Amino acid sequence: MTGQERSEEKSECVSLSPIRDAVPAQPKCERVSVFGTGDLGRSLGLRLLQAGYGVVFGSRRPHSISHLPHGAQVLGHAAAAQSAHLFFIAVQREHYDFLVPLAKQLKGKVLVDVSNNLRKNQYPEANAEYLQSLVPGAEVVKGFNTLSAWSLQNGPSDANRQVYICGEGVEAKQAVMAVATKLGFSALDRGSLSVARELEDFPLQLFPQWRLPLHIAIGLSAAFFFYLLIRDIIYAYVTQGKDISFRIMVSLANKVCPIVSLIMLSLCYLPGVLASFLQLYRGTKYRSDLCVCECVCIHVYNTMYMCVSTLHDQKYIRENRTTEFDTTTAWRGDSYLSLGILGFGLYILLGITSLPSVSNVLSWREFSFIQSKLGHLTLLLCTAHTYLYGWNRFLSSSTYRWYTPPGYMLCLVIPSVVLLLKLLLITPYTHTQNNTLVMMTALSSRHELLFLCYCTLRGWLPFNHRLPCFWDQKPTTFN
């Protein structure tokens, strides 16, 4: 290096803090350079300093930069390009041009692209691929773009620990993954640089797994809203000439929300019981998101229920109406309320634990216990709550307006089916084999479905004959 270059580098170097105020580091700490002094660049530099790295910021105007982490240095682009082996490019794609004159200094070095776009398919190629075309001699790695400045400042305990990495060079990716691990994150190699577009689309996704649950919730809500609108509002206007359209805002919605919430809760567990019978052993993909949607519905229902109850009580007070005390009705009412309160409490627990920020903290056993065991208990309590609400109304012909069943009867179909199938799966079955009583559950082997069918046929067939088990190789004989 010539004397003129040393003097130029010395003139571009600016120390942002005295040596005594610098973050203590080892004498030979590894240096990392960050191009970009925005929010993300400053947060990334602060996190690197806390991890023990020496940080050098590269800027177009090194003498006018302020509010950078203590202990960091700021240099011009040319000087910063010679100060480290690994560089974080924390600038937008439109400002990549300053790297073209530095292609010779950056040859063989690792460039980590942390940029994102404002919308999908904004450019014909990914930002990382474009950066690789500008600096062909460097090793470009895409990573850290799914982290925000806030998550970097507060640490991985307050944010998602996952960091996605992709690139062509194996050693370059290993170096970036080592930095991510030292910062407290968990790095995941997604493959070559061609995956960069997929990584850049991650921050642009708006609840991608919530689309199907939201569509189901909106579809069910709309269907039952119009169904109840015809049965309650239009029926009263056509047959009795009463205009009760004011009930659309609260009373009608008060019926729709619990119906939708109960159906969606049962839909969470319907694929599981069907998979157990069909031997598919598949999970429910949208289970957590359905729980969140149904939790919202049950919240709206309880709020409107309090409003409707208040109006109903005021009506009885104005009309000075009293009814004779009935013990059966009292038992039914108290049981109805108690089951509803317990079901609502478990509903809230399911909804909270379904949030990603909460479920990531739970162990698999804890999450499975809440979502499976307590989930089925919630379904049982809410279904019993609905049965107590209907009680013996199904026996009255006035319940079926225009020969249509009420909404609560329709919403009991799927939950009842799920509970019956679950009961079949957990109920022990007995049979005799070689004069020995054997008890097995429906999930005791890979052939539980065949065994269940065998036990069912053997108990239901009216003829006195012997059917061999499916594992027997003897022909069927009849007495």
Side-chain angles (χ1 to χ4, degrees):
M1 182 181 296
T2 63
Q4 183 178 1
E5 291 176 344
R6 290 193 185 95
S7 61
E8 180 181 356
E9 180 180 352
K10 185 176 181 180
S11 63
E12 292 182 349
C13 178
V14 177
S15 179
L16 296 178
S17 62
I19 298 178
R20 63 177 179 272
D21 296 333
V23 176
Q26 298 179 359
K28 294 184 179 180
C29 63
E30 184 180 355
R31 302 184 75 182
V32 177
S33 181
V34 179
F35 284 124
T37 55
D39 292 338
L40 183 60
R42 292 197 303 267
S43 302
L44 187 58
L46 176 62
R47 192 69 186 165
L48 290 169
L49 284 170
Q50 293 174 348
Y53 288 96
V55 178
V56 177
F57 284 95
S59 175
R60 293 173 296 176
R61 297 182 298 272
H63 296 279
S64 61
I65 299 300
S66 60
H67 304 293
L68 291 181
H70 291 288
Q73 284 185 322
V74 57
L75 305 175
H77 288 154
Q82 301 175 1
S83 63
H85 179 72
L86 192 145
F87 299 83
F88 285 92
I89 312 301
V91 298
Q92 296 297 328
R93 176 187 174 125
E94 294 81 6
H95 306 294
Y96 283 175
D97 296 339
F98 77 93
L99 295 171
V100 177
L102 306 177
K104 185 178 295 185
Q105 292 95 319
L106 297 176
K107 184 177 181 180
K109 298 184 178 181
V110 181
L111 305 182
V112 183
D113 178 32
V114 300
S115 65
N116 289 311
N117 297 323
L118 298 178
R119 61 181 183 273
K120 293 184 179 181
N121 302 322
Q122 185 174 356
Y123 299 102
E125 72 280 332
N127 295 344
E129 295 175 333
Y130 175 69
L131 178 61
Q132 184 69 80
S133 64
L134 294 179
V135 193
E139 295 284 348
V140 176
V141 177
K142 186 71 181 183
F144 288 85
N145 65 304
T146 57
L147 300 177
S148 63
W150 182 89
S151 63
L152 288 171
Q153 291 178 3
N154 291 274
S157 60
D158 298 325
N160 193 356
R161 292 179 177 270
Q162 200 73 49
V163 174
Y164 299 102
I165 305 293
C166 73
E168 300 295 341
V170 177
E171 296 181 358
K173 289 191 291 186
Q174 290 178 351
V176 177
M177 294 174 69
V179 174
T181 303
K182 195 170 182 180
L183 295 183
F185 296 98
S186 177
L188 178 63
D189 187 0
R190 295 298 299 267
S192 63
L193 201 62
S194 60
V195 192
R197 179 179 288 274
E198 179 182 348
L199 298 187
E200 293 173 1
D201 289 342
F202 279 173
L204 300 176
Q205 295 177 352
L206 181 62
F207 303 113
Q209 295 183 350
W210 285 35
R211 293 178 181 176
L212 181 58
L214 287 176
H215 291 165
I216 294 176
I218 294 174
L220 288 174
S221 300
F224 278 99
F225 177 82
F226 288 108
Y227 180 79
L228 297 176
L229 178 67
I230 295 174
R231 290 192 76 258
D232 297 348
I233 310 300
I234 299 179
Y235 176 83
Y237 182 78
V238 172
T239 59
Q240 304 174 10
K242 295 182 179 180
D243 183 10
I244 55 174
S245 58
F246 62 91
R247 295 185 179 179
I248 294 177
M249 300 304 297
V250 177
S251 300
L252 198 63
N254 184 50
K255 295 182 179 180
V256 173
C257 289
I259 291 175
V260 174
S261 62
L262 183 57
I263 293 178
M264 294 183 67
L265 179 62
S266 60
L267 288 178
C268 291
Y269 303 100
L270 180 61
V273 294
L274 292 180
S276 299
F277 279 93
L278 299 177
Q279 300 298 292
L280 297 179
Y281 297 108
R282 293 177 58 185
T284 308
K285 183 177 180 182
Y286 299 98
R287 176 177 185 172
S288 298
D289 308 312
L290 282 172
C291 285
V292 174
C293 293
E294 70 207 22
C295 185
V296 174
C297 292
I298 203 68
H299 262 296
V300 176
Y301 160 67
N302 278 271
T303 303
M304 293 185 173
Y305 177 79
M306 290 186 291
C307 299
V308 174
S309 299
T310 303
L311 295 175
H312 187 267
D313 294 340
Q314 291 178 356
K315 178 181 177 182
Y316 269 73
I317 293 174
R318 287 196 307 266
E319 297 179 359
N320 195 19
R321 294 170 57 184
T322 58
T323 57
E324 185 179 355
F325 179 78
D326 184 21
T327 305
T328 303
T329 304
W331 268 102
R332 172 202 165 195
D334 288 358
S335 301
Y336 167 78
L337 292 176
S338 61
L339 291 178
I341 293 172
L342 292 175
F344 176 69
L346 294 178
Y347 241 126
I348 299 302
L349 180 62
L350 290 177
I352 293 176
T353 54
S354 298
L355 296 174
S357 58
V358 179
S359 60
N360 291 338
V361 181
L362 301 175
S363 65
W364 169 246
R365 186 174 182 181
E366 295 171 342
F367 181 80
S368 177
F369 173 78
I370 294 175
Q371 294 292 330
S372 180
K373 303 296 189 302
L374 294 185
H376 284 95
L377 178 60
T378 305
L379 180 62
L380 177 62
L381 292 176
C382 294
T383 304
H385 171 77
T386 309
Y387 272 110
L388 288 175
Y389 171 79
W391 198 243
N392 59 352
R393 297 180 186 177
F394 69 96
L395 300 176
S396 176
S397 58
S398 61
T399 303
Y400 305 93
R401 300 171 183 173
W402 281 337
Y403 305 101
T404 59
Y408 74 88
M409 292 182 62
L410 295 178
C411 77
L412 284 172
V413 176
I414 299 180
S416 301
V417 171
V418 172
L419 291 175
L420 287 176
L421 293 179
K422 186 64 178 180
L423 181 63
L424 289 176
L425 292 174
I426 64 176
T427 301
Y429 293 89
T430 60
H431 71 285
T432 55
Q433 185 175 1
N434 298 328
N435 296 325
T436 303
L437 184 64
V438 180
M439 178 177 292
M440 300 178 64
T441 62
L443 293 177
S444 58
S445 69
R446 292 175 59 88
H447 304 284
E448 67 270 12
L449 183 60
L450 296 177
F451 178 73
L452 178 62
C453 295
Y454 161 74
C455 293
T456 304
L457 289 175
R458 187 172 183 178
W460 286 358
L461 287 179
F463 306 103
N464 183 19
H465 65 274
R466 174 181 180 273
L467 286 177
C469 296
F470 53 85
W471 54 78
D472 292 342
Q473 302 297 326
K474 298 179 181 180
T476 303
T477 58
F478 295 91
N479 294 330

PDB file of all heavy atoms in Angstrom, residues 194-210:
ATOM      1  N   SER A 194     -30.493 -19.630  -6.049  1.00  0.00           N
ATOM      2  CA  SER A 194     -31.763 -19.557  -6.769  1.00  0.00           C
ATOM      3  C   SER A 194     -32.971 -19.520  -5.829  1.00  0.00           C
ATOM      4  O   SER A 194     -34.075 -19.185  -6.247  1.00  0.00           O
ATOM      5  CB  SER A 194     -31.895 -20.754  -7.721  1.00  0.00           C
ATOM      6  OG  SER A 194     -31.845 -21.979  -7.000  1.00  0.00           O
ATOM      7  N   VAL A 195     -32.752 -19.839  -4.568  1.00  0.00           N
ATOM      8  CA  VAL A 195     -33.832 -19.811  -3.582  1.00  0.00           C
ATOM      9  C   VAL A 195     -33.990 -18.410  -2.992  1.00  0.00           C
ATOM     10  O   VAL A 195     -34.890 -18.175  -2.182  1.00  0.00           O
ATOM     11  CB  VAL A 195     -33.571 -20.848  -2.470  1.00  0.00           C
ATOM     12  CG1 VAL A 195     -34.790 -21.057  -1.583  1.00  0.00           C
ATOM     13  CG2 VAL A 195     -33.136 -22.172  -3.062  1.00  0.00           C
ATOM     14  N   ALA A 196     -33.127 -17.482  -3.398  1.00  0.00           N
ATOM     15  CA  ALA A 196     -33.138 -16.142  -2.805  1.00  0.00           C
ATOM     16  C   ALA A 196     -34.483 -15.441  -3.002  1.00  0.00           C
ATOM     17  O   ALA A 196     -34.952 -14.733  -2.104  1.00  0.00           O
ATOM     18  CB  ALA A 196     -32.009 -15.300  -3.394  1.00  0.00           C
ATOM     19  N   ARG A 197     -35.110 -15.625  -4.156  1.00  0.00           N
ATOM     20  CA  ARG A 197     -36.407 -14.977  -4.380  1.00  0.00           C
ATOM     21  C   ARG A 197     -37.450 -15.473  -3.381  1.00  0.00           C
ATOM     22  O   ARG A 197     -38.282 -14.685  -2.897  1.00  0.00           O
ATOM     23  CB  ARG A 197     -36.877 -15.237  -5.805  1.00  0.00           C
ATOM     24  CG  ARG A 197     -38.237 -14.624  -6.118  1.00  0.00           C
ATOM     25  CD  ARG A 197     -38.639 -14.904  -7.548  1.00  0.00           C
ATOM     26  NE  ARG A 197     -37.842 -14.125  -8.471  1.00  0.00           N
ATOM     27  CZ  ARG A 197     -38.132 -12.870  -8.834  1.00  0.00           C
ATOM     28  NH1 ARG A 197     -39.184 -12.263  -8.311  1.00  0.00           N
ATOM     29  NH2 ARG A 197     -37.381 -12.228  -9.695  1.00  0.00           N
ATOM     30  N   GLU A 198     -37.403 -16.746  -3.084  1.00  0.00           N
ATOM     31  CA  GLU A 198     -38.344 -17.285  -2.102  1.00  0.00           C
ATOM     32  C   GLU A 198     -38.098 -16.687  -0.719  1.00  0.00           C
ATOM     33  O   GLU A 198     -39.048 -16.356   0.000  1.00  0.00           O
ATOM     34  CB  GLU A 198     -38.214 -18.809  -2.051  1.00  0.00           C
ATOM     35  CG  GLU A 198     -39.137 -19.477  -1.040  1.00  0.00           C
ATOM     36  CD  GLU A 198     -38.944 -20.978  -0.997  1.00  0.00           C
ATOM     37  OE1 GLU A 198     -38.273 -21.524  -1.892  1.00  0.00           O
ATOM     38  OE2 GLU A 198     -39.456 -21.606  -0.041  1.00  0.00           O
ATOM     39  N   LEU A 199     -36.828 -16.534  -0.338  1.00  0.00           N
ATOM     40  CA  LEU A 199     -36.514 -15.932   0.958  1.00  0.00           C
ATOM     41  C   LEU A 199     -36.924 -14.466   1.002  1.00  0.00           C
ATOM     42  O   LEU A 199     -37.362 -13.968   2.045  1.00  0.00           O
ATOM     43  CB  LEU A 199     -35.014 -16.064   1.249  1.00  0.00           C
ATOM     44  CG  LEU A 199     -34.444 -17.482   1.352  1.00  0.00           C
ATOM     45  CD1 LEU A 199     -32.998 -17.431   1.803  1.00  0.00           C
ATOM     46  CD2 LEU A 199     -35.259 -18.339   2.301  1.00  0.00           C
ATOM     47  N   GLU A 200     -36.796 -13.777  -0.124  1.00  0.00           N
ATOM     48  CA  GLU A 200     -37.181 -12.370  -0.155  1.00  0.00           C
ATOM     49  C   GLU A 200     -38.688 -12.180  -0.114  1.00  0.00           C
ATOM     50  O   GLU A 200     -39.167 -11.093   0.244  1.00  0.00           O
ATOM     51  CB  GLU A 200     -36.601 -11.709  -1.411  1.00  0.00           C
ATOM     52  CG  GLU A 200     -35.087 -11.616  -1.405  1.00  0.00           C
ATOM     53  CD  GLU A 200     -34.526 -11.118  -2.720  1.00  0.00           C
ATOM     54  OE1 GLU A 200     -35.327 -10.836  -3.638  1.00  0.00           O
ATOM     55  OE2 GLU A 200     -33.292 -11.024  -2.844  1.00  0.00           O
ATOM     56  N   ASP A 201     -39.443 -13.212  -0.467  1.00  0.00           N
ATOM     57  CA  ASP A 201     -40.903 -13.123  -0.408  1.00  0.00           C
ATOM     58  C   ASP A 201     -41.454 -13.432   0.975  1.00  0.00           C
ATOM     59  O   ASP A 201     -42.628 -13.156   1.242  1.00  0.00           O
ATOM     60  CB  ASP A 201     -41.532 -14.086  -1.427  1.00  0.00           C
ATOM     61  CG  ASP A 201     -41.320 -13.615  -2.856  1.00  0.00           C
ATOM     62  OD1 ASP A 201     -41.019 -12.427  -3.044  1.00  0.00           O
ATOM     63  OD2 ASP A 201     -41.436 -14.443  -3.782  1.00  0.00           O
ATOM     64  N   PHE A 202     -40.625 -14.029   1.855  1.00  0.00           N
ATOM     65  CA  PHE A 202     -41.104 -14.374   3.192  1.00  0.00           C
ATOM     66  C   PHE A 202     -41.636 -13.162   3.958  1.00  0.00           C
ATOM     67  O   PHE A 202     -42.731 -13.214   4.525  1.00  0.00           O
ATOM     68  CB  PHE A 202     -39.986 -15.048   3.995  1.00  0.00           C
ATOM     69  CG  PHE A 202     -39.819 -16.511   3.685  1.00  0.00           C
ATOM     70  CD1 PHE A 202     -38.775 -17.237   4.217  1.00  0.00           C
ATOM     71  CD2 PHE A 202     -40.712 -17.163   2.847  1.00  0.00           C
ATOM     72  CE1 PHE A 202     -38.613 -18.578   3.928  1.00  0.00           C
ATOM     73  CE2 PHE A 202     -40.561 -18.505   2.544  1.00  0.00           C
ATOM     74  CZ  PHE A 202     -39.517 -19.215   3.090  1.00  0.00           C
ATOM     75  N   PRO A 203     -40.899 -12.047   4.034  1.00  0.00           N
ATOM     76  CA  PRO A 203     -41.427 -10.905   4.806  1.00  0.00           C
ATOM     77  C   PRO A 203     -42.660 -10.263   4.185  1.00  0.00           C
ATOM     78  O   PRO A 203     -43.339  -9.481   4.864  1.00  0.00           O
ATOM     79  CB  PRO A 203     -40.243  -9.912   4.819  1.00  0.00           C
ATOM     80  CG  PRO A 203     -39.036 -10.731   4.525  1.00  0.00           C
ATOM     81  CD  PRO A 203     -39.508 -11.796   3.598  1.00  0.00           C
ATOM     82  N   LEU A 204     -42.959 -10.561   2.924  1.00  0.00           N
ATOM     83  CA  LEU A 204     -44.109  -9.957   2.256  1.00  0.00           C
ATOM     84  C   LEU A 204     -45.385 -10.757   2.443  1.00  0.00           C
ATOM     85  O   LEU A 204     -46.456 -10.312   2.033  1.00  0.00           O
ATOM     86  CB  LEU A 204     -43.820  -9.803   0.753  1.00  0.00           C
ATOM     87  CG  LEU A 204     -42.612  -8.933   0.385  1.00  0.00           C
ATOM     88  CD1 LEU A 204     -42.391  -8.948  -1.115  1.00  0.00           C
ATOM     89  CD2 LEU A 204     -42.805  -7.506   0.878  1.00  0.00           C
ATOM     90  N   GLN A 205     -45.283 -11.930   3.048  1.00  0.00           N
ATOM     91  CA  GLN A 205     -46.461 -12.772   3.224  1.00  0.00           C
ATOM     92  C   GLN A 205     -47.301 -12.249   4.385  1.00  0.00           C
ATOM     93  O   GLN A 205     -46.780 -11.951   5.461  1.00  0.00           O
ATOM     94  CB  GLN A 205     -46.043 -14.214   3.483  1.00  0.00           C
ATOM     95  CG  GLN A 205     -45.329 -14.861   2.312  1.00  0.00           C
ATOM     96  CD  GLN A 205     -44.860 -16.272   2.627  1.00  0.00           C
ATOM     97  OE1 GLN A 205     -44.936 -16.712   3.767  1.00  0.00           O
ATOM     98  NE2 GLN A 205     -44.378 -16.982   1.631  1.00  0.00           N
ATOM     99  N   LEU A 206     -48.596 -12.142   4.160  1.00  0.00           N
ATOM    100  CA  LEU A 206     -49.538 -11.668   5.167  1.00  0.00           C
ATOM    101  C   LEU A 206     -50.408 -12.838   5.618  1.00  0.00           C
ATOM    102  O   LEU A 206     -51.386 -13.192   4.965  1.00  0.00           O
ATOM    103  CB  LEU A 206     -50.405 -10.538   4.599  1.00  0.00           C
ATOM    104  CG  LEU A 206     -51.427  -9.930   5.565  1.00  0.00           C
ATOM    105  CD1 LEU A 206     -50.712  -9.285   6.748  1.00  0.00           C
ATOM    106  CD2 LEU A 206     -52.309  -8.918   4.851  1.00  0.00           C
ATOM    107  N   PHE A 207     -50.017 -13.466   6.716  1.00  0.00           N
ATOM    108  CA  PHE A 207     -50.748 -14.606   7.277  1.00  0.00           C
ATOM    109  C   PHE A 207     -51.105 -15.627   6.195  1.00  0.00           C
ATOM    110  O   PHE A 207     -52.297 -15.885   5.923  1.00  0.00           O
ATOM    111  CB  PHE A 207     -52.025 -14.141   7.985  1.00  0.00           C
ATOM    112  CG  PHE A 207     -51.784 -13.133   9.072  1.00  0.00           C
ATOM    113  CD1 PHE A 207     -52.246 -11.828   8.928  1.00  0.00           C
ATOM    114  CD2 PHE A 207     -51.094 -13.466  10.218  1.00  0.00           C
ATOM    115  CE1 PHE A 207     -52.026 -10.893   9.920  1.00  0.00           C
ATOM    116  CE2 PHE A 207     -50.872 -12.540  11.209  1.00  0.00           C
ATOM    117  CZ  PHE A 207     -51.336 -11.252  11.060  1.00  0.00           C
ATOM    118  N   PRO A 208     -50.104 -16.236   5.560  1.00  0.00           N
ATOM    119  CA  PRO A 208     -50.427 -17.166   4.457  1.00  0.00           C
ATOM    120  C   PRO A 208     -51.211 -18.388   4.922  1.00  0.00           C
ATOM    121  O   PRO A 208     -52.040 -18.907   4.177  1.00  0.00           O
ATOM    122  CB  PRO A 208     -49.038 -17.548   3.923  1.00  0.00           C
ATOM    123  CG  PRO A 208     -48.109 -17.328   5.074  1.00  0.00           C
ATOM    124  CD  PRO A 208     -48.663 -16.167   5.843  1.00  0.00           C
ATOM    125  N   GLN A 209     -50.975 -18.864   6.146  1.00  0.00           N
ATOM    126  CA  GLN A 209     -51.680 -20.050   6.621  1.00  0.00           C
ATOM    127  C   GLN A 209     -53.065 -19.732   7.179  1.00  0.00           C
ATOM    128  O   GLN A 209     -53.785 -20.633   7.591  1.00  0.00           O
ATOM    129  CB  GLN A 209     -50.838 -20.757   7.696  1.00  0.00           C
ATOM    130  CG  GLN A 209     -49.528 -21.304   7.172  1.00  0.00           C
ATOM    131  CD  GLN A 209     -48.757 -22.071   8.237  1.00  0.00           C
ATOM    132  OE1 GLN A 209     -49.107 -22.042   9.415  1.00  0.00           O
ATOM    133  NE2 GLN A 209     -47.709 -22.752   7.835  1.00  0.00           N
ATOM    134  N   TRP A 210     -53.406 -18.449   7.207  1.00  0.00           N
ATOM    135  CA  TRP A 210     -54.716 -18.072   7.717  1.00  0.00           C
ATOM    136  C   TRP A 210     -55.747 -17.938   6.604  1.00  0.00           C
ATOM    137  O   TRP A 210     -56.917 -17.685   6.884  1.00  0.00           O
ATOM    138  CB  TRP A 210     -54.619 -16.733   8.457  1.00  0.00           C
ATOM    139  CG  TRP A 210     -53.990 -16.825   9.799  1.00  0.00           C
ATOM    140  CD1 TRP A 210     -52.973 -17.663  10.173  1.00  0.00           C
ATOM    141  CD2 TRP A 210     -54.335 -16.075  10.960  1.00  0.00           C
ATOM    142  NE1 TRP A 210     -52.645 -17.462  11.483  1.00  0.00           N
ATOM    143  CE2 TRP A 210     -53.459 -16.487  12.000  1.00  0.00           C
ATOM    144  CE3 TRP A 210     -55.259 -15.083  11.210  1.00  0.00           C
ATOM    145  CZ2 TRP A 210     -53.517 -15.944  13.269  1.00  0.00           C
ATOM    146  CZ3 TRP A 210     -55.315 -14.536  12.487  1.00  0.00           C
ATOM    147  CH2 TRP A 210     -54.459 -14.975  13.504  1.00  0.00           C
TER     148      TRP A 210
END
